[in-house]
Amino acid sequence: MAQNRETFGSHFAVIMAMAGSAIGLGNIWRFPTLVGQYGGAAFVLLYLVFSFLLALPIFYCEAIIGRRSRANAFGAFRKLDPKGHWHWLGLITVVAPLLILSYYNVVGGWSAQYLFKSLAGDFVGREEALVTGYFGQFISSAWAPLLVHAIFAGAVALIVVSGVKSGIEKFTKWTMPMLFVLILVIVVYSVCLPGAGAGVSYLVRPDLSKLSGSAVASAMGQAFFSLSLGMGTILTYSSYMKRQDNIAGTGFSTALADMLFALLAAFAVMPAVFAGGLEPGSGPGLIFESLPLIFNRMGAGLPLVSTVVAILFFFSVLMAALTSAISLLEVGVAYMSEETRLSRKQSTWLLSGLVWLLGIVWSLSFGPLADVQVFGMSLFDAIDYTCSNILMPIGGLVFVLFVGWKMPAPDVYDEYTNGGTLRFNSRIYPAFRFLVRYIAPVGIALVALTPYLF
Ligand code: PHE
């Protein structure tokens, strides 16, 4: 068991690392995709409500468990409750992020491919149908997706091998602000396209008739996915937090930044989808079809500017994906290097290798394995659905139930208020406690079960 655990260098570094984990493909790729599949504004609204009511409490619980125990997602439960069996439940939250990583790497590879394409100037000055149709052609080819998948997975392993401070922290500090500025530029351009109005109203006028049970569960799954919850990620990162950091404040700022990014991504993508006559429900390729369309149209007037914007955009998407992917791998690596005899380096390469192998299946499910269906879903959709709509809610329940009902109340209070020194946190503590004990567990269970009840 590691004696001198690393901690993050500063409070700023903590927020950046958490935001780096939260903001990623979940916001830029997954959110617009689901909004398109589940009918727009009503889904967005549910996502926002679930983020505050059900996701934020889990964030706080993970942070409390992590910082209190200063251990990995498995060891934390053993330290805080040595006689109980909670650590076996903790193990779910060690395995699940590795499953997520296995398909996250695939989409990370796609972003790398799109960066290479924009570097080659391939999205500017072409026929529109070629630019939007490229995704379908790329994804069904046998080798190209596997190659970029391997490159992305290798990069993730390399960063995690170099450790929390030198690897993760340095990396996350400067990429987020750039992404924010670029997305803003793209939103402005996108909503000004002729025909974009339909996309904007799709995002702001709720059509409740489109809300199926699985849309409701998916909105919660997306809130969890986007904030990196129920997976031991926030727990693990919080175990590197300092005593004086403010858990409630950090959680709230991370959540706000994360939601803002998701909304911006939707407002960048949807107006362009409508302006270009694309199909909003077309699935995982949506942003890879609509964004090149934006760059291509922009390029009609300003070819050089448009090429540069495209390059910078896909570069920052890639960075955002990397900072989330490393947080997914870190959960397993922290577990393995602290609970087994393997070193940090060995754990990283072993887990990365396994995750990469599994990822090959998900990547091929768009090409040679496209006909394989599970419960009417492609293999890729099935693993994504299982992780975010089943495993994440289970993980989230484990954390809120442990903090709400198992941990001694004075310990919870101590972590949430830093020993009573944070006045505002002490004042809202009763509300927090109520949320964690009653609203969150009941809410999570109910929402997760909607698709089976209705
Ligand atoms: N939150 C990340 C994203 O939005 C994905 C993620 C999920 C990371 C779970 C860690 C844990 O891209």
Side-chain angles (χ1 to χ4, degrees):
M1 177 96 52
Q3 284 306 316
N4 295 317
R5 290 192 107 233
E6 291 182 279
T7 51
F8 282 117
S10 64
H11 183 60
F12 181 71
V14 172
I15 298 203
M16 279 299 145
M18 299 257 188
S21 166
I23 298 166
L25 295 172
N27 311 59
I28 302 161
W29 157 74
R30 200 171 186 275
F31 185 64
T33 303
L34 291 184
V35 169
Q37 280 174 338
Y38 290 119
F43 182 87
V44 175
L45 215 66
L46 272 182
Y47 154 78
L48 290 175
V49 172
F50 291 156
S51 294
F52 281 108
L53 224 56
L54 306 178
L56 252 185
I58 303 180
F59 189 107
Y60 295 148
C61 293
E62 282 199 42
I64 287 171
I65 299 174
R67 192 173 65 171
R68 189 87 194 162
S69 64
R70 296 200 178 273
N72 59 81
F74 174 84
F77 290 106
R78 267 212 320 213
K79 263 191 168 174
L80 297 180
D81 181 32
K83 297 213 185 78
H85 295 287
W86 288 83
H87 49 280
W88 298 117
L89 293 171
L91 212 51
I92 301 178
T93 72
V94 172
V95 176
L98 295 170
L99 285 180
I100 295 197
L101 184 61
S102 69
Y103 68 90
Y104 205 89
N105 280 342
V106 173
V107 187
W110 300 348
S111 350
Q113 175 74 7
Y114 272 66
L115 174 61
F116 302 148
K117 291 287 281 182
S118 12
L119 280 168
D122 279 358
F123 295 134
V124 173
R126 300 287 151 98
E127 227 175 276
E128 193 153 296
L130 283 183
V131 172
T132 53
Y134 173 70
F135 181 78
Q137 180 201 331
F138 160 65
I139 203 64
S140 52
S141 62
W143 292 107
L146 290 182
L147 181 67
V148 284
H149 168 232
I151 295 177
F152 186 86
V156 174
L158 276 178
I159 301 167
V160 172
V161 156
S162 55
V164 175
K165 266 216 168 109
S166 43
I168 297 177
E169 191 175 314
K170 254 191 223 142
F171 213 71
T172 49
K173 270 198 224 172
W174 57 276
T175 47
M176 294 295 134
M178 178 160 115
L179 187 62
F180 186 77
V181 174
L182 285 170
I183 287 210
L184 266 184
V185 172
I186 296 173
V187 169
V188 172
Y189 190 84
S190 179
V191 297
C192 292
L193 289 171
V200 175
S201 71
Y202 181 74
L203 288 172
V204 296
R205 290 228 187 97
D207 175 0
L208 294 180
S209 66
K210 292 233 175 79
L211 273 189
S212 60
S214 63
V216 175
S218 297
M220 181 175 80
Q222 173 60 18
F224 293 175
F225 189 99
S226 193
L227 257 183
S228 308
L229 293 174
M231 295 282 106
T233 303
I234 299 300
L235 187 160
T236 305
Y237 270 19
S238 305
S239 74
Y240 308 125
M241 250 185 175
K242 295 202 164 121
R243 284 272 160 243
Q244 60 271 31
D245 287 323
N246 179 344
I247 285 179
T250 306
F252 199 74
S253 359
T254 306
L256 278 190
D258 186 56
M259 282 180 236
L260 190 63
F261 259 96
L263 291 177
L264 284 175
F267 276 94
V269 169
M270 264 333 151
V273 165
F274 281 79
L278 300 175
E279 172 51 51
S282 69
L286 189 68
I287 74 157
F288 295 102
E289 287 155 1
S290 56
L291 286 165
L293 176 142
I294 297 181
F295 299 134
N296 194 39
R297 293 235 183 138
M298 205 186 263
L302 307 159
L304 190 63
V305 176
S306 165
T307 305
V308 173
V309 171
I311 294 171
L312 289 179
F313 178 79
F314 283 115
F315 177 72
S316 36
V317 169
L318 193 60
M319 292 300 147
L322 279 171
T323 53
S324 301
I326 55 184
S327 76
L328 284 163
L329 184 55
E330 178 64 24
V331 182
V333 169
Y335 161 74
M336 223 172 213
S337 59
E338 291 181 6
E339 306 292 334
T340 73
R341 287 201 195 155
L342 296 181
S343 69
R344 196 177 156 87
K345 210 171 177 181
Q346 291 165 328
S347 318
T348 308
W349 289 114
L350 177 68
L351 292 177
S352 302
L354 291 174
V355 160
W356 168 71
L357 278 178
L358 188 57
I360 293 177
V361 178
W362 317 133
S363 181
L364 292 178
S365 79
F366 291 93
L369 298 181
D371 293 334
V372 183
Q373 300 257 314
V374 192
F375 292 116
M377 285 183 264
S378 71
L379 285 174
F380 183 95
D381 286 345
I383 184 71
D384 182 43
Y385 189 91
T386 310
C387 287
S388 53
N389 291 13
I390 300 171
L391 295 178
M392 283 190 153
I394 293 180
L397 272 177
V398 169
F399 296 128
V400 291
L401 289 174
F402 187 78
V403 169
W405 296 93
K406 181 74 202 169
M407 244 175 113
D411 291 0
V412 176
Y413 178 80
D414 191 47
E415 286 297 326
Y416 193 74
T417 64
N418 290 2
T421 56
L422 299 170
R423 271 224 219 119
F424 180 73
N425 296 12
S426 316
R427 214 171 308 144
I428 58 171
Y429 178 76
F432 160 75
R433 186 135 183 93
F434 184 75
L435 211 58
V436 166
R437 279 169 79 93
Y438 303 102
I439 309 272
V442 175
I444 295 168
L446 273 182
V447 174
L449 292 174
T450 8
Y452 315 102
L453 299 176
F454 299 100

